[in-house]
Amino acid sequence: MNDWQDVKNVVVVGLGITGLSVVKYLDRYHPNIAVKVIDTRENPPGLSELPAGIACHQGGWCNEWLAAADLVVINPGIALATPEIQQVIQTGTPVVGDIELFAWHVDQPVIAITGSNGKSTVTDLTGKMAAATGLRVAVGGNIGIPALDLIDESVELYVLELSSFQLETTSHLKLKAAAFLNLSEDHMDRYRDIEGYRQAKLRIFNHAQAAIVNCDDPLTFPDTFSGAVVTFSISQAADFSVQYIDECEYLVADGRPVIACDQLKLVGRHNLANVLTVLALLQHAGIGYEKGLDTLKSYTGLTHRCQVVADNRGIQWVNDSKATNVASTLAALSGLTLKGTLYLLVGGVGKGADFSPLAPVLNSLNVRLCCFGRDGQQFMRLHPAAKQYETMADVITDIAPQLSEGDIVMLSPSCASFDQFQNFMARGDAFAALAHQYA
């Protein structure tokens, strides 16, 4: 459904950044539609920024408003399985998210990226390399700016990071190229099993011309797909791969060397896979990435993602706060060169995850495991040199006097942050501040 003429009443469920972007979009482009907001929080973020005349029901549900709606737009943080939303679906009223509204509106080319890990880096780098070719590019979605806030007639290419939550309510997004980077256990408090999580992510390919998939993770392949399936791999033959040429390791596209791996500033093998994905996305969106290679060479990655925030007395402090699941922490550890002791900070809100896959990797490292936050206790059994703390600040206060040259202090928590912080960015900023205090 993308015919607005029958829509007279819209209910936006969930405010915050995304909900506010939906309200502002409707106010700008569909001013004759009546809009109401429901948020079960008593004082939802964004409330003071609502346009004049928009009613907001706070602190619970308003079934009367839902029953009268022609269209319900829900925040990605609200599961479709929520009983009140299921009741709406059963009456036949469409329930969509902000990305579906974006899909109805936009005619310009769109690239999109999903996956359990690495999607923010791929999205950011894709946008920067595309912009380096001279295109007017807008980047956002699940990273940075909400998709509806990006809409501008002058934009020549949109690059979106999409979460499984966003994809659940998206049905008509047409994409020049879409990438599914990898799949690992995450959000098991939302999905029945990992297959349910996978199926949500596979929706990214529903209307894509090219599907960029990971040879090293067959679960990223679509079950059925009529367009071009394009593969990448850092360990085997693929359309975009890593190969040795004259004893030098290169990123290779369709058999052609693109750039030597040692020319990249990004750290870790997982980032080679990320760059291969970017090259594949750009090529299959019809964008000549050659003009963006200087941008690629100078790219150092995202804040909060394997970011060295302090390096003093030979001690490195690494902010990997965006590692909110086990696979992301494993990726950070796989790219690590360690001369001394690794002080690894883990913990927060575990989201029902199994942390045991960390144990064999930790046992191969000279590591002190520093566990904090609500679910920190769950990490204690993973390594004999594990110690529990209440907060991240408690960890740093304890270990700072013990640090010596060659040591690395890394925040890569494998958990969400909202037990003690507003978001992973706030957690990373707090770590960086502590690093500068003690470095």
Side-chain angles (χ1 to χ4, degrees), residues 166 169 265 287 321 387 422:
Q166 290 171 312
T169 54
K265 289 189 176 179
I287 299 166
S321 184
K387 185 173 180 180
Q422 184 176 355

Side-chain angles (χ1 to χ4, degrees), residues 193-212:
D193 52 28
I194 197 163
E195 181 59 22
Y197 177 42
R198 172 177 178 259
Q199 288 300 324
K201 287 195 171 294
L202 285 174
R203 292 173 66 90
I204 199 170
F205 296 136
N206 283 358
H207 300 284
Q209 294 179 20
I212 316 300

Side-chain angles (χ1 to χ4, degrees), residues 263-283:
Q263 289 188 278
L264 303 178
K265 289 189 176 179
L266 286 167
V267 175
R269 299 293 295 180
H270 61 291
N271 274 321
L272 297 183
N274 289 338
V275 175
L276 290 171
T277 308
V278 173
L279 299 177
L281 284 165
L282 293 172
Q283 179 169 304

Side-chain angles (χ1 to χ4, degrees), residues 134-213:
L135 289 173
R136 182 174 171 84
V137 183
V139 179
N142 192 50
I143 175 179
I145 302 170
L148 292 172
D149 287 348
L150 297 174
I151 291 176
D152 189 312
E153 289 183 6
S154 68
V155 171
E156 296 172 292
L157 175 71
Y158 291 97
V159 182
L160 301 181
E161 174 185 317
L162 299 178
S163 70
S164 59
F165 297 172
Q166 290 171 312
L167 287 165
E168 285 176 20
T169 54
T170 302
S171 302
H172 296 93
L173 183 62
K174 294 179 181 177
L175 300 171
K176 284 290 185 181
F180 186 172
L181 303 179
N182 44 56
L183 185 76
S184 60
E185 188 179 83
D186 199 5
H187 304 300
M188 290 299 103
D189 51 351
R190 171 112 163 206
Y191 295 102
R192 182 176 299 175
D193 52 28
I194 197 163
E195 181 59 22
Y197 177 42
R198 172 177 178 259
Q199 288 300 324
K201 287 195 171 294
L202 285 174
R203 292 173 66 90
I204 199 170
F205 296 136
N206 283 358
H207 300 284
Q209 294 179 20
I212 316 300
V213 296

Side-chain angles (χ1 to χ4, degrees), residues 222-236:
D223 298 325
T224 58
F225 188 69
S226 58
V229 175
V230 183
T231 58
F232 69 88
S233 173
I234 58 172
S235 66
Q236 57 186 295

